[in-house]
Amino acid sequence: MQERLLPIPGNPPSLINVPSGCAFHPRCTFAELTGGRSSGEVPELTATERNHVVRCHLRPDQRRRLFAEQIAPHL
Ligand code: SF4
């Protein structure tokens, strides 16, 4: 079964002028939680416990909590 995605607001960035750091930071609701890292540092690609990979500066416990509290209720 395919899970629904919750789109983030705004438009995708220009591919010839990709934002610094995490390319999503201008539109990401959670970028401010990373203490400025999102705008200046590209996140490492990291394996997760669910056999997925993620590229985000948020800690796994932050991502789990934000998903449960702010994303899952809207899916
Ligand atoms: S690193 Fe994570 S929190 Fe920061 S802008 Fe990218 S997706 Fe959002």
Side-chain angles (χ1 to χ4, degrees):
M1 182 175 91
Q2 184 169 356
E3 294 180 32
R4 282 183 55 201
L5 292 176
L6 189 62
I8 61 176
N11 296 311
S14 164
L15 295 179
I16 59 172
N17 190 19
V18 178
S20 63
C22 175
F24 293 98
H25 87 266
R27 301 186 294 146
C28 179
T29 305
F30 310 116
E32 65 190 41
L33 300 176
T34 65
R37 292 179 71 199
S38 293
S39 61
E41 195 178 321
V42 176
E44 295 287 328
L45 191 63
T46 313
T48 71
E49 67 278 3
R50 293 180 60 194
N51 202 27
H52 293 145
V53 291
V54 62
R55 192 182 289 275
C56 180
H57 290 304
L58 295 172
R59 297 185 316 269
D61 64 297
Q62 287 178 299
R63 291 195 305 268
R64 279 192 294 273
R65 181 178 53 78
L66 290 168
F67 179 80
E69 294 175 358
Q70 298 188 35
I71 297 173
H74 301 287
L75 296 178

